[in-house]
Amino acid sequence: MAERSLLNQLIDALRCLPGVGPKSAQRIAFHLLERDRDGGARLARVMAEAMTRIQRCQRCRTLTENDLCGICASSKRETGTICVVEQPSEVVAIEQATDYRGLYFVLGGRLSPLDGIGPSDLGLDILERRLGEESLAEVILAISPTVEGGATAQFIADRAAHHGVKVSRIAHGVPLGGELEYLDGGTLALAFAGRRDL
Amino acid sequence: MAERSLLNQLIDALRCLPGVGPKSAQRIAFHLLERDRDGGARLARVMAEAMTRIQRCQRCRTLTENDLCGICASSKRETGTICVVEQPSEVVAIEQATDYRGLYFVLGGRLSPLDGIGPSDLGLDILERRLGEESLAEVILAISPTVEGGATAQFIADRAAHHGVKVSRIAHGVPLGGELEYLDGGTLALAFAGRRDL
């Protein structure tokens, strides 16, 4: 046994999954080997293909295995609105929870000069081109209300204003069923600042 | 988009992992695609190989990619003792926690006539052959003290006695640091029945 056993290699490799430590990795490995070889083989096949073939949509930068993602390629979306989010997972969340039927743009992060993340790293040159070329009515910003998120939102708002496109921001405040007592101070302050007349 | 996107196929396939629901599967997929493609590609490669190549050791029935597992193939083990366990994961646990240097035998379950699990399903014919062929001093049973586990232990003890091999059972009782108050009744009863003189 000069080299590590295949079982130990599998346990090691499983630790790339988020939140999986040595014990969980071992449990997963034995579960797949003893109870679900077919599922494990299918997962291995799909994962290998996904890791090599999935890249960014050329138009909105979300994850897809095609040149254009399903939303950008669809003829049924309202092309007058772009919702700007930070991560591809947020596109999925918005699609599942809301009846928004417009387009998206995925930044992949926030402007952060200290970390060397500038406008082109977030594809803001692509967004600017879209602001100029597409006949847009509104850009909706769904960016986290942090310092860096705020700077990113301001940057986009400036560019949109330059092209004469209206900009809005999704509301931040108390979540449904959230108890004021247990809410963080930042959210509570945002909820007060963003209060609306009844 | 006639067929499902590769991303959705990956999220679906990830659900074969134990304890992973739709939300976790999505989180894992985005984590791998955005932060650890190399780890994901390596996992896919190792998993594909493990699912096809790992099978049972011909001598002790634990999981291995070779004809004999590392323990059975080693020249450094004490060949006079066999520890009988139910699952391959228990071999790993005993190796990590104890200084046992003997051999193993993995049943893969317990005798359960109602579920159609008989001696040959647990490889007990292979174990019997080893009892006859190898010069064994002791068989240590590390089988759970349930009704079915008890029946399995009794079956093995009978066969070992037939071949003149001594049989022992690992101790069941109060775990280290376990509080009597919160211990289940079965364990407490076992601990009393198995008390030893000081």
Side-chain angles (χ1 to χ4, degrees):
Chain A
M1 302 295 287
E3 60 186 47
R4 293 173 59 69
S5 77
L6 196 48
L7 176 62
N8 282 329
Q9 287 179 44
L10 176 61
I11 292 171
D12 273 0
L14 280 165
R15 295 194 53 190
C16 75
L17 301 177
V20 171
K23 281 269 175 191
S24 310
Q26 190 180 310
R27 194 170 58 91
I28 294 172
F30 282 118
H31 172 89
L32 293 177
L33 287 168
E34 299 209 279
R35 301 211 186 85
D36 195 7
R37 293 233 180 186
D38 290 347
R42 176 166 166 262
L43 174 56
R45 202 167 53 239
V46 173
M47 194 183 286
E49 203 183 338
M51 292 303 133
T52 50
R53 283 187 51 209
I54 291 181
Q55 24 81 45
R56 295 201 173 279
C57 170
Q58 291 178 1
R59 191 175 180 203
C60 78
R61 293 183 23 111
T62 197
L63 295 171
T64 175
E65 72 271 29
N66 302 308
D67 289 344
L68 289 183
C69 70
I71 293 172
C72 284
S74 167
S75 58
K76 294 183 185 145
R77 307 292 298 204
E78 294 156 14
T79 54
T81 321
I82 293 181
C83 175
V84 180
V85 298
E86 293 179 24
Q87 301 298 339
S89 55
E90 294 162 356
V91 173
V92 177
I94 293 172
E95 287 292 296
Q96 284 172 351
T98 75
D99 55 0
Y100 176 73
R101 308 306 298 157
L103 303 175
Y104 289 93
F105 191 82
V106 178
L107 299 171
R110 295 164 231 166
L111 285 178
S112 177
L114 288 179
D115 301 318
I117 301 177
S120 63
D121 297 305
L122 305 182
L124 287 171
D125 45 340
I126 302 174
L127 181 61
E128 169 119 37
R129 205 182 318 134
R130 289 183 66 180
L131 286 169
E133 291 172 359
E134 301 176 19
S135 55
L136 296 170
E138 183 177 2
V139 170
I140 302 171
L141 302 178
I143 301 175
S144 60
T146 56
V147 174
E148 292 167 349
T152 313
Q154 193 54 52
F155 184 97
I156 297 171
D158 284 348
R159 303 319 303 155
H162 179 255
H163 290 282
V165 179
K166 178 185 150 193
V167 179
S168 63
R169 200 188 68 177
I170 62 167
H172 296 285
V174 184
L176 230 61
E179 298 199 42
L180 295 193
E181 192 179 348
Y182 300 110
L183 208 63
D184 67 293
T187 305
L188 198 51
L190 275 175
F192 260 79
R195 68 187 181 279
R196 294 166 66 169
D197 293 333
L198 273 182
Chain B
M1 301 295 290
E3 59 187 47
R4 293 173 60 66
S5 76
L6 196 49
L7 177 61
N8 282 329
Q9 288 179 44
L10 176 61
I11 292 171
D12 274 0
L14 281 165
R15 296 195 52 189
C16 75
L17 301 177
V20 170
K23 280 270 176 190
S24 309
Q26 190 180 309
R27 193 170 58 92
I28 294 171
F30 282 117
H31 172 89
L32 292 177
L33 287 168
E34 299 209 278
R35 299 208 188 88
D36 196 7
R37 293 231 179 187
D38 290 345
R42 175 165 167 262
L43 174 57
R45 201 167 55 239
V46 173
M47 195 183 285
E49 204 183 337
M51 292 302 132
T52 50
R53 283 187 51 207
I54 290 181
Q55 26 80 44
R56 295 202 174 278
C57 171
Q58 292 178 1
R59 191 175 180 202
C60 78
R61 289 176 33 103
T62 197
L63 296 171
T64 176
E65 73 271 28
N66 302 308
D67 289 343
L68 289 183
C69 71
I71 293 172
C72 285
S74 168
S75 58
K76 294 184 186 146
R77 308 292 298 205
E78 294 156 14
T79 54
T81 321
I82 292 182
C83 175
V84 180
V85 298
E86 293 179 23
Q87 302 298 340
S89 54
E90 294 161 357
V91 173
V92 177
I94 293 172
E95 286 293 296
Q96 284 172 352
T98 75
D99 54 0
Y100 177 72
R101 306 309 295 160
L103 303 175
Y104 290 93
F105 191 82
V106 178
L107 300 171
R110 294 164 232 168
L111 285 178
S112 177
L114 288 178
D115 300 318
I117 300 177
S120 63
D121 297 305
L122 304 183
L124 287 171
D125 45 341
I126 301 174
L127 180 61
E128 170 121 35
R129 206 181 318 134
R130 290 184 66 180
L131 286 170
E133 291 172 359
E134 301 177 16
S135 54
L136 295 170
E138 183 177 1
V139 169
I140 302 171
L141 301 178
I143 301 176
S144 62
T146 58
V147 174
E148 293 167 347
T152 312
Q154 193 54 53
F155 184 97
I156 297 170
D158 285 348
R159 302 319 304 153
H162 179 256
H163 290 282
V165 179
K166 178 185 151 194
V167 178
S168 63
R169 200 187 69 177
I170 61 166
H172 295 285
V174 184
L176 229 60
E179 299 199 40
L180 296 192
E181 191 178 350
Y182 301 111
L183 208 63
D184 66 293
T187 304
L188 199 51
L190 275 176
F192 261 77
R195 68 187 180 279
R196 295 165 66 169
D197 293 334
L198 273 181

